[in-house]
Amino acid sequence: MKNIIYEGADGNINLLYPNSNMDIVEVAKKDVPTGVKYKILEKEDLPEFYWLGAWEYDFDTNSDGVGL
């Protein structure tokens, strides 16, 4: 299962669990805020959810697109 991460306005990483009936890229473009870079990752590549507030990711060097 794939998930979408992006940096919120507060600087924290936000995590989206998309509906499996929709194309994940379309979900990202639709649900990530306009102009914000996102990354699509496999669930097993995510750190433990417990540490969500401490997650960091460099979207400038490795992203899959931008919210529309």
Side-chain angles (χ1 to χ4, degrees), residues 2-6 14-16 18 24 27-28 32 38-40:
K2 295 185 180 204
N3 294 279
I4 302 162
I5 61 169
Y6 66 93
N14 292 309
L15 176 62
L16 296 176
I24 193 157
V27 171
V32 172
Y38 63 84
K39 181 67 180 171
I40 298 170

Side-chain angles (χ1 to χ4, degrees), residues 1-57:
M1 176 175 209
K2 295 185 180 204
N3 294 279
I4 302 162
I5 61 169
Y6 66 93
E7 186 173 351
D10 60 1
N12 289 322
I13 300 295
N14 292 309
L15 176 62
L16 296 176
Y17 299 95
N19 180 332
S20 61
N21 296 328
M22 296 178 67
D23 176 68
I24 193 157
V25 173
E26 293 304 315
V27 171
K29 288 179 181 179
K30 176 179 72 71
D31 291 343
V32 172
T34 302
V36 175
K37 294 178 182 178
Y38 63 84
K39 181 67 180 171
I40 298 170
L41 298 170
E42 293 291 338
K43 181 180 177 183
E44 58 268 8
D45 293 333
L46 296 172
E48 288 187 41
F49 187 75
Y50 177 80
W51 299 107
L52 180 60
W55 290 4
E56 294 181 356
Y57 193 84

